[in-house]
Amino acid sequence: MNANVDHLINEALALPADERSAVVLALIDSLDGADEASVAETWAAEIQQRKADIRSGAVKTVPWSEARARISAL
């Protein structure tokens, strides 16, 4: 993901639960009519890229407890 997407996600995570739910629904609705196979292929490619990034050391993972603490601090 790029910095704009990261920023957008951080902003969305800071919203109250009902507003986050509205964002999720709007995003899902925006995919209606999209070729489901294409969406699945895109996700599969993203997963493969993320696995490769982790294996190569390009990104570092953190324990869930730390990730949760970071999210809660937002």
Side-chain angles (χ1 to χ4, degrees):
M1 286 189 273
N2 64 43
N4 289 333
V5 173
D6 289 338
H7 176 73
L8 182 60
I9 290 171
N10 288 334
E11 291 289 317
L13 289 172
L15 296 171
D18 61 327
E19 292 178 15
R20 287 194 316 269
S21 178
V23 170
V24 168
L25 291 174
L27 290 172
I28 290 171
D29 285 346
S30 74
L31 296 175
D32 282 350
D35 179 14
E36 289 187 28
S38 175
V39 172
E41 290 171 9
T42 301
W43 273 113
E46 178 69 20
I47 291 166
Q48 292 303 317
Q49 182 59 54
R50 289 181 187 205
K51 285 175 29 180
D53 288 346
I54 291 168
R55 288 182 178 144
S56 72
V59 297
K60 300 290 182 207
T61 60
V62 297
W64 170 240
S65 59
E66 182 180 336
R68 184 176 53 226
R70 288 182 189 179
I71 293 167
S72 295
L74 295 175

